[in-house]
């Protein structure tokens, strides 16, 4: 009989012992010993604090040696949002240009009922193929940001994006169109604009396959590109600079297909345009085609059906 | 106080059990009830903590907490006490098939005997049979049967109680580590004020709403508070969760594993009581049947039917 009584008695004791143990945590200062406060505040604040840009990291490059005469020097000059004159100098390889063009032309995206479904694959392939060749530009940006003494996350982003906005705009078409530029300017005139956005009417570049988008390296070399070419270029440069929370956004603006750069930040300068990622975070849209639009600023009357193409 | 009555235990059916055993059974079920009340108290504290963080109102927190703890207490009563059964025991053969107790009355239908039996005689037969059955299984604990139960039912019971335990354990941990969590939240707010004054977390989570003050925790966000608790406790969180899980599951474990409960005198007497009630009502029904049969054979029912039809 005693043996049979054991189970309930032991179980009951265990119940009360556990409760006493919990009470002892609360009343005998054991809680102080169990709870480690170190690092929690920093971890919460780190998520809020804009990250500092790394101007010292080295990007992995091709092991194939480049001949001196293969490299062409470039200098980009522009004024940032504060009106300060900025410039970067870098060199691009002709061999990398051929590689970039070949990669783009060999892309064969799968089309489906969703008109936007082909874009992510094409963008990803171009980004992966071209990022190493753009190392010189990335290093030039980092160097100039460091020289200018910019350590703020948003100001560093502004530095890069304002330069891309200032590069101007050229229509890029998928098919063969004789007069695809503004005011019927001819397709043969596929030259970079000289004075910026929509002021040159220099024409457009047609028959750029697939999807009428130039690869990031091609854009850097020729400076001819429209919304998606420029967004993808900005995405590639920022990603390689260490900004992981960037994206290429696609959707409709004023009734037509459009592309913008997306950036996930805690405190954007404007919070009018954004897309919510599946995980709940917000990617603010940035118009990179125009000269003075800031992150999250709305410059469209109608802005709908937007999504993240790559991030 | 007769705590055991809160789980529906009727000590009136244990008349034939010795005082020592009866008191032991009462003690066991009273302790089970006290355990459940302790668990309901934990749920009350935990609910108040959660609701205070969300609503910043003691009235809402206490009222809703009381309601939730009563719901959980009743759910516990149902999930644990309904796990007791005698079906797989020796006496359980009779519990499953009550007619085994009075099969001889079914096989040899003694019409005249039953018809003439007074109420006291029926009660005597039933009680004698009950005593015989009790004597058939005198050493109730010694029966070498295995307590079995449906795996699915067991899984459902365990899942429900585990979910309840894990949900409310975090609230109790917040209660235990309230001052430590508040210290971290204060430090975070101070640092953010200095380093990132326009921080979203500072404005929306670590600053009280206009005209209001923080009640228990210096934060508006339950998720941030839980996050701080997780980060601060580390592996201790797992240990504490396991302690709470054990506390919340112990009443059910005891009911399943303790022979004093599953094979106890109360369960035996309850089974005997149910079997006897079936037997008693069987005899009463048979007696009534005999009376009706007599009426059918003696009265002119055709004439009676005609009379009824005339008035209809």
């Amino acid at each position: 009989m005693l043996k049979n009584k054991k189970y309930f008695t032991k179980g009951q004791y265990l119940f009360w012992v556990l409760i006493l143990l919990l009470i002892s945590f609360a009343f005998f200062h054991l809680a102080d010993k169990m709870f480690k406060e170190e690092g929690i505040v920093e971890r919460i604040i780190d998520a809020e604090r804009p990250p500092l840009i790394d101007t010292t990291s080295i990007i992995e490059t091709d092991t194939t040696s480049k001949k001196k005469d293969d490299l062409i020097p470039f200098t980009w000059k522009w004024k940032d949002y504060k009106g300060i004159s900025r410039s970067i100098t870098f060199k691009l390889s002709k061999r990398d240009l051929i590689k970039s063009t070949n990669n783009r032309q060999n892309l064969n995206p799968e089309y489906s009922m969703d008109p936007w479904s082909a874009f992510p694959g094409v963008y990803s392939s171009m980004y992966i193929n071209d990022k190493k060749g753009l190392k010189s530009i990335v290093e030039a940006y980092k160097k100039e940001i460091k020289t200018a003494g910019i350590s703020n996350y948003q100001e560093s982003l502004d530095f890069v994006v304002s330069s891309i906005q200032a590069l101007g705009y050229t229509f890029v078409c998928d098919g063969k169109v004789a007069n695809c530029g503004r005011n019927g300017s001819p397709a043969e005139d596929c030259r970079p604009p000289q004075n910026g956005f929509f002021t040159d009417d220099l024409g457009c570049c047609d028959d750029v396959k697939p999807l009428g988008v130039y690869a990031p390296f091609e854009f850097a070399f020729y400076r001819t590109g429209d919304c998606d070419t420029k967004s993808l270029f900005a995405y590639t440069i920022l990603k390689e600079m260490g900004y992981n929370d960037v994206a290429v956004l696609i959707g409709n603006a004023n009734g037509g297909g459009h592309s913008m750069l997306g950036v996930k930040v805690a405190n954007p300068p404007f919070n009018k345009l954004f897309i919510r990622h599946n995980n709940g975070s917000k990617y603010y849209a940035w118009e990179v085609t125009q000269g003075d639009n800031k992150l999250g600023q709305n410059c469209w009357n109608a802005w709908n059906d937007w999504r993240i193409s790559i991030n | 106080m007769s705590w055991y009555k809160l789980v529906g235990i009727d000590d009136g059916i244990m008349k034939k059990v010795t005082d020592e055993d009866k008191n032991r059974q009462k003690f066991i079920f009273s302790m089970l009830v006290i355990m459940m009340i302790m668990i309901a108290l934990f749920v009350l504290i935990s609910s108040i903590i959660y609701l205070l963080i969300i609503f910043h109102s003691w009235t809402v927190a206490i009222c809703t907490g009381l309601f939730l703890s009563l719901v959980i207490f009743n759910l516990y009563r149902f999930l644990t006490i309904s796990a007791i059964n005698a079906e797989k025991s020796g006496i359980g053969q009779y519990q499953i098939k009550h007619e085994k107790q009075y099969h001889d009355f079914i096989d040899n239908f003694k019409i005249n005997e039953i018809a003439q039996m007074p109420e006291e005689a029926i009660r005597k037969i039933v009680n004698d049979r009950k005593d015989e059955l009790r004597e058939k299984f005198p050493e109730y604990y010694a029966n070498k049967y295995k307590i079995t139960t449906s795996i699915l039912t067991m899984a459902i019971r365990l899942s429900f109680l585990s979910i309840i335990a894990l949900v409310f354990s975090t609230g109790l941990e917040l209660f235990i580590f309230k001052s430590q969590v508040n210290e971290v939240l204060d430090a975070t707010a101070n640092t953010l004020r200095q380093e990132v004054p326009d921080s979203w977390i500072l404005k929306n989570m670590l600053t009280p709403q206009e005209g209001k003050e923080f009640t228990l925790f210096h934060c508006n966000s339950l998720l941030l508070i839980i996050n701080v608790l997780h980060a601060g406790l580390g592996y201790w969180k797992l240990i504490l969760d396991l302690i709470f899980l054990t506390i919340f599951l112990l009443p059910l474990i005891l009911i399943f594993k303790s022979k004093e409960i599953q094979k106890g005198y109360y369960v035996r007497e309850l089974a005997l009581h149910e079997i006897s009630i079936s037997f008693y009502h069987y005899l009463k029904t048979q007696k009534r049947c005999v009376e009706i049969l007599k009426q059918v054979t003696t009265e002119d029912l055709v004439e009676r039917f005609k009379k009824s039809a005339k008035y209809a």
Side-chain angles (χ1 to χ4, degrees):
Chain A
M1 203 64 170
L2 274 173
K3 192 184 167 189
N4 293 323
K5 281 184 181 176
K6 273 183 182 173
Y7 205 95
F8 183 83
T9 310
K10 278 182 184 174
Q12 181 212 336
Y13 287 154
L14 177 65
F15 184 88
W16 296 111
V17 165
L18 289 176
I19 286 175
L20 283 174
L21 192 68
L22 289 171
I23 292 168
S24 69
F25 287 150
F27 292 103
F28 296 105
H29 301 291
L30 286 174
D32 288 331
K33 287 171 189 162
M34 290 161 73
F35 195 92
K36 304 272 178 238
E37 293 175 15
E38 291 85 33
I40 305 174
V41 177
E42 284 71 27
R43 207 188 308 169
I44 297 169
I45 290 169
D46 276 351
E48 279 291 279
R49 188 188 287 141
L52 297 173
I53 187 158
D54 175 17
T55 53
T56 56
S57 69
I58 296 163
I59 298 168
E60 190 190 343
T61 54
D62 275 341
T63 49
T64 52
S65 61
K66 292 185 174 79
K67 289 178 185 172
K68 277 188 178 173
D69 57 354
D70 182 47
L71 295 171
I72 296 175
F74 290 85
T75 300
W76 287 353
K77 292 179 180 174
W78 75 98
K79 283 187 178 177
D80 67 10
Y81 296 146
K82 291 174 183 166
I84 303 168
S85 294
R86 305 284 189 194
S87 70
I88 53 166
T89 303
F90 54 90
K91 286 179 179 175
L92 295 177
S93 156
K94 283 182 196 169
R95 195 181 298 174
D96 285 336
L97 176 67
I98 295 164
K99 226 171 89 180
S100 174
T101 307
N102 286 343
N103 176 66
R104 173 176 60 78
Q105 289 171 342
N106 288 331
L107 290 173
N108 191 18
E110 282 184 20
Y111 296 90
S112 70
M113 292 294 284
D114 179 3
W116 301 117
S117 64
F119 286 84
V122 170
Y123 289 165
S124 297
S125 173
M126 287 176 173
Y127 162 68
I128 292 163
N129 185 72
D130 289 16
K131 62 181 183 182
K132 286 178 187 170
L134 294 170
K135 177 223 169 193
S136 167
I137 301 182
V138 172
E139 293 298 342
Y141 273 121
K142 284 185 175 183
K143 190 181 157 196
E144 284 304 315
I145 287 170
K146 195 175 182 182
T147 309
I150 299 170
S151 59
N152 181 284
Y153 185 84
Q154 187 60 48
E155 282 181 23
S156 307
L157 278 171
D158 290 348
F159 185 95
V160 177
V161 174
S162 62
S163 74
I164 297 166
Q165 288 170 328
L167 286 172
Y169 184 97
T170 310
F171 287 106
V172 182
C173 306
D174 190 0
K176 278 248 176 222
V177 188
N179 299 305
C180 55
R182 170 155 282 213
N183 299 330
S185 47
E188 289 80 17
D189 197 357
C190 179
R191 287 182 293 154
Q194 301 302 305
N195 298 318
F197 177 69
F198 284 145
T199 53
D200 300 328
D201 293 335
L202 285 177
C204 76
C205 311
D206 71 340
D207 204 20
V208 178
K209 293 192 182 303
L211 306 173
V213 56
Y214 274 124
F217 194 93
E218 290 179 294
F219 174 75
F221 205 95
Y222 295 127
R223 289 204 291 125
T224 49
D226 55 10
C227 59
D228 52 352
T229 301
K230 292 182 84 175
S231 299
L232 182 59
F233 176 74
Y235 168 86
T236 307
I237 295 296
L238 291 171
K239 244 334 187 204
E240 291 312 294
M241 286 179 79
Y243 293 88
N244 288 320
D245 295 331
V246 290
V248 176
L249 313 179
I250 49 175
N252 292 314
N254 287 0
H258 191 47
S259 180
M260 292 170 83
L261 176 69
V263 182
K264 188 170 80 177
V265 283
N267 304 299
F270 294 89
N271 57 7
K272 298 294 177 192
L273 289 190
F274 63 84
I275 295 176
R276 210 174 269 283
H277 188 268
N278 292 339
N279 65 14
S281 58
K282 284 179 184 173
Y283 276 85
Y284 291 91
W286 204 338
E287 183 58 70
V288 290
T289 56
Q290 218 163 354
D292 56 355
N293 278 303
K294 308 229 171 61
L295 177 60
Q297 189 174 352
N298 189 7
C299 54
W300 299 100
N301 295 324
W303 199 80
N304 49 44
D305 195 23
W306 280 81
R307 66 190 70 186
I308 294 166
S309 186
I310 54 166
N311 65 334
Chain B
M1 192 179 162
S2 309
W3 293 100
Y4 56 87
K5 287 189 176 168
L6 289 176
V7 284
I9 302 298
D10 175 12
D11 56 341
I13 63 171
M14 289 194 286
K15 282 173 190 160
K16 294 279 171 86
V17 178
T18 61
D19 281 349
E20 188 194 353
D21 291 332
K22 195 198 285 183
N23 290 335
R24 177 71 185 164
Q25 288 289 301
K26 282 183 188 175
F27 171 75
I28 286 170
F29 285 106
S30 292
M31 284 312 298
L32 277 175
V33 173
I34 291 167
M35 283 181 190
M36 286 181 214
I37 289 171
M38 278 305 294
I39 289 166
L41 203 66
F42 280 166
V43 171
L44 174 68
I45 296 168
S46 183
S47 308
I48 289 174
I49 300 284
Y50 284 140
L51 291 158
L52 266 179
I53 296 167
I54 296 166
F55 295 107
H56 302 289
S57 159
W58 280 100
T59 318
V60 174
I62 291 171
C63 292
T64 319
L66 276 170
F67 171 74
L68 274 174
S69 58
L70 281 172
V71 169
I72 298 294
F73 178 69
N74 281 310
L75 196 65
Y76 250 87
R77 287 201 306 173
F78 166 67
L79 289 174
T80 50
I81 298 300
S82 63
I84 301 173
N85 75 69
E87 286 179 2
K88 304 289 177 187
S89 66
I91 211 163
Q93 300 162 25
Y94 292 83
Q95 167 77 357
I96 294 164
K97 229 175 176 183
H98 286 192
E99 59 268 34
K100 273 186 86 171
Q101 174 76 334
Y102 45 89
H103 64 91
D104 51 332
F105 279 83
I106 299 167
D107 297 342
N108 313 304
F109 193 59
K110 301 163 184 172
I111 296 174
N112 293 328
E113 274 182 44
I114 293 171
Q116 287 160 12
M117 247 183 225
E119 179 70 19
E120 293 74 31
I122 291 176
R123 282 186 188 280
K124 191 174 182 311
I125 291 173
V126 170
N127 286 330
D128 289 349
R129 284 287 172 99
K130 189 179 174 182
D131 292 340
E132 276 172 32
L133 189 58
R134 187 184 289 111
E135 279 161 22
K136 208 170 170 183
F137 302 97
E139 289 299 318
Y140 199 60
Y141 293 137
N143 284 333
K144 298 284 180 196
Y145 70 87
K146 199 176 177 207
I147 300 166
T148 58
T149 184
S150 157
I151 292 170
L152 181 66
T153 318
M154 180 70 159
I156 291 170
R157 280 179 215 278
L158 278 174
S159 309
F160 262 113
L161 297 186
S162 303
I163 290 167
I164 291 169
L166 294 174
V167 166
F168 290 103
S169 66
T170 304
L172 290 162
E173 285 154 14
L174 285 174
F175 176 68
I176 295 171
F177 297 96
K178 181 176 78 73
S179 53
Q180 287 80 5
V181 170
N182 272 336
E183 274 174 31
V184 171
L185 291 171
D186 290 343
T188 307
N190 289 334
T191 318
L192 278 174
R193 265 182 218 115
Q194 288 164 11
E195 290 190 23
V196 197
D198 57 345
S199 155
W200 190 88
I201 289 181
L202 180 65
K203 279 183 205 162
N204 297 286
M205 293 184 180
L206 298 170
T207 309
Q209 289 169 349
E210 249 185 78
K212 287 186 178 177
E213 283 184 5
F214 287 128
T215 40
L216 206 64
F217 288 94
H218 305 164
C219 180
N220 294 315
S221 164
L222 178 63
L223 291 178
L224 181 63
I225 293 171
I226 293 175
N227 198 357
V228 169
L229 181 79
H230 271 256
L233 284 180
Y235 66 90
W236 277 107
K237 173 88 175 77
L238 182 69
I239 294 169
L240 286 169
D241 280 348
L242 286 174
I243 291 175
F244 280 114
L245 192 66
T246 313
I247 289 173
F248 276 65
L249 289 182
L250 256 175
L252 184 70
I253 294 169
L254 286 178
I255 279 177
F256 269 113
K257 298 295 285 181
S258 169
K259 288 178 182 173
E260 282 186 288
I261 298 173
Q262 283 285 2
K263 301 178 182 181
Y265 289 109
Y266 178 74
V267 174
R268 182 186 71 174
E269 290 303 316
L270 188 63
L272 286 170
H273 180 67
E274 285 175 5
I275 295 163
S276 303
I277 285 176
S278 285
F279 185 23
Y280 171 74
H281 285 287
Y282 171 78
L283 293 179
K284 290 277 282 180
T285 314
Q286 293 309 312
K287 189 181 173 185
R288 181 73 186 131
C289 282
V290 171
E291 283 165 11
I292 292 167
L293 203 63
K294 264 186 193 171
Q295 208 176 351
V296 168
T297 49
T298 53
E299 279 187 40
D300 185 353
L301 289 177
V302 177
E303 192 60 33
R304 192 169 171 175
F305 174 73
K306 277 180 184 171
K307 274 183 189 171
S308 308
K310 204 173 166 182
Y311 291 113

